[in-house]
Coordinates of all heavy atoms in Angstrom, one line a residue:
Y1 N 7.9 2.2 -0.9 CA 7.4 3.3 -1.7 C 6.5 2.9 -2.8 O 6.2 3.7 -3.7 CB 8.6 4.1 -2.3 CG 9.4 5.0 -1.4 CD1 10.3 4.4 -0.5 CD2 9.1 6.3 -1.3 CE1 11.0 5.2 0.4 CE2 9.8 7.1 -0.4 CZ 10.8 6.6 0.4 OH 11.4 7.4 1.3
A2 N 5.9 1.7 -2.7 CA 5.0 1.2 -3.8 C 3.9 2.1 -4.1 O 3.5 2.3 -5.2 CB 4.6 -0.2 -3.5
F3 N 3.2 2.6 -3.0 CA 2.1 3.5 -3.2 C 2.3 4.9 -2.6 O 1.3 5.6 -2.3 CB 0.8 2.9 -2.6 CG 0.4 1.6 -3.2 CD1 0.8 0.4 -2.7 CD2 -0.4 1.6 -4.3 CE1 0.5 -0.8 -3.3 CE2 -0.8 0.4 -4.9 CZ -0.3 -0.8 -4.4
F4 N 3.5 5.3 -2.4 CA 3.9 6.6 -1.8 C 3.2 7.7 -2.6 O 3.3 7.8 -3.8 CB 5.4 6.7 -1.9 CG 5.9 8.0 -1.3 CD1 6.3 8.1 0.0 CD2 5.9 9.2 -2.0 CE1 6.8 9.3 0.6 CE2 6.4 10.4 -1.5 CZ 6.8 10.4 -0.2
G5 N 2.5 8.6 -1.8 CA 1.9 9.8 -2.4 C 0.8 9.5 -3.4 O 0.5 10.4 -4.2
C6 N 0.1 8.4 -3.4 CA -1.0 8.1 -4.3 C -2.2 8.9 -3.7 O -3.0 8.3 -2.8 CB -1.3 6.6 -4.4 SG -0.1 5.7 -5.3
S7 N -2.4 10.1 -4.1 CA -3.3 11.1 -3.4 C -4.8 10.7 -3.5 O -5.6 11.2 -2.7 CB -3.0 12.5 -3.9 OG -3.2 12.5 -5.3
S8 N -5.2 9.9 -4.5 CA -6.6 9.6 -4.7 C -6.9 8.2 -4.2 O -8.1 7.8 -4.3 CB -7.0 9.7 -6.2 OG -6.8 11.0 -6.7
L9 N -6.0 7.5 -3.7 CA -6.2 6.1 -3.3 C -7.0 6.1 -2.0 O -6.6 6.7 -1.0 CB -4.9 5.4 -3.0 CG -4.9 3.9 -2.6 CD1 -5.6 3.1 -3.7 CD2 -3.6 3.4 -2.3
K10 N -8.2 5.4 -2.0 CA -9.1 5.4 -0.9 C -9.2 4.1 -0.2 O -9.5 4.0 1.0 CB -10.5 5.8 -1.3 CG -10.6 7.3 -1.8 CD -12.0 7.6 -2.3 CE -12.1 9.0 -2.9 NZ -13.4 9.3 -3.4
L11 N -8.9 3.0 -0.9 CA -9.1 1.7 -0.4 C -8.1 0.7 -1.0 O -7.8 0.8 -2.1 CB -10.5 1.1 -0.6 CG -10.8 -0.3 -0.2 CD1 -12.3 -0.4 0.2 CD2 -10.5 -1.3 -1.3
I12 N -7.5 -0.2 -0.1 CA -6.7 -1.3 -0.6 C -7.0 -2.6 0.2 O -7.2 -2.5 1.4 CB -5.2 -1.0 -0.5 CG1 -4.4 -2.1 -1.1 CG2 -4.8 -0.7 1.0 CD1 -2.9 -1.7 -1.4
D13 N -7.1 -3.6 -0.6 CA -7.4 -5.0 0.0 C -6.0 -5.7 -0.1 O -5.6 -6.1 -1.2 CB -8.5 -5.7 -0.8 CG -8.9 -7.0 -0.2 OD1 -8.1 -7.6 0.6 OD2 -9.9 -7.5 -0.5
L14 N -5.4 -6.0 1.0 CA -4.1 -6.6 1.0 C -4.1 -8.1 0.8 O -3.0 -8.7 0.6 CB -3.4 -6.3 2.4 CG -3.1 -4.9 2.7 CD1 -2.5 -4.7 4.1 CD2 -2.1 -4.3 1.6
K15 N -5.2 -8.8 0.8 CA -5.3 -10.2 0.6 C -4.4 -11.0 1.5 O -4.6 -11.2 2.7 CB -5.1 -10.6 -0.9 CG -6.2 -10.0 -1.8 CD -7.6 -10.7 -1.5 CE -8.6 -10.3 -2.5 NZ -9.9 -10.8 -2.2
N16 N -3.2 -11.5 0.9 CA -2.3 -12.4 1.6 C -1.0 -11.8 1.9 O 0.0 -12.6 2.2 CB -2.2 -13.7 0.9 CG -3.5 -14.5 0.9 OD1 -4.2 -14.6 1.9 ND2 -3.8 -15.1 -0.3
V17 N -0.8 -10.5 1.9 CA 0.5 -9.9 2.1 C 1.0 -10.2 3.5 O 0.3 -10.2 4.5 CB 0.4 -8.4 1.9 CG1 1.6 -7.6 2.3 CG2 0.1 -8.1 0.4
T18 N 2.3 -10.5 3.5 CA 3.0 -10.8 4.8 C 3.8 -9.7 5.4 O 4.0 -9.6 6.6 CB 3.9 -12.0 4.7 OG1 4.9 -11.7 3.7 CG2 3.2 -13.3 4.2
K19 N 4.2 -8.7 4.5 CA 5.0 -7.6 5.0 C 4.7 -6.4 4.2 O 4.7 -6.4 3.0 CB 6.5 -7.9 5.0 CG 7.4 -6.8 5.5 CD 8.9 -7.1 5.4 CE 9.7 -5.9 5.8 NZ 11.2 -6.2 5.7
I20 N 4.6 -5.2 4.9 CA 4.4 -3.9 4.2 C 5.8 -3.2 4.4 O 6.3 -3.0 5.5 CB 3.3 -3.1 4.9 CG1 2.0 -3.8 4.7 CG2 3.3 -1.7 4.2 CD1 0.9 -3.1 5.5
G21 N 6.4 -2.8 3.3 CA 7.7 -2.2 3.3 C 7.7 -0.8 3.7 O 6.6 -0.1 3.8
S22 N 8.9 -0.2 3.9 CA 9.0 1.2 4.4 C 8.4 2.2 3.4 O 8.5 2.1 2.2 CB 10.4 1.6 4.6 OG 11.2 1.6 3.4
N23 N 7.6 3.1 3.9 CA 6.9 4.2 3.1 C 6.0 3.7 2.0 O 5.7 4.4 1.1 CB 8.0 5.1 2.5 CG 8.6 6.0 3.6 OD1 8.0 6.8 4.2 ND2 9.9 5.8 3.8
T24 N 5.5 2.4 2.2 CA 4.6 1.9 1.2 C 3.4 2.7 0.9 O 3.0 3.0 -0.2 CB 4.2 0.4 1.6 OG1 5.3 -0.4 1.8 CG2 3.3 -0.2 0.5

């Protein structure tokens, strides 16, 4: 749920992330 419902978010650069959690 880190970015859940961020309605204006258009871009994200994940760099070195290994796992995306549920409903992120």
Side-chain angles (χ1 to χ4, degrees):
Y1 286 83
F3 295 95
F4 181 96
C6 291
S7 57
S8 298
L9 184 64
K10 296 177 181 178
L11 176 146
I12 184 163
D13 185 344
L14 294 176
K15 293 294 186 186
N16 292 318
V17 168
T18 59
K19 180 181 178 181
I20 299 174
S22 65
N23 288 295
T24 300

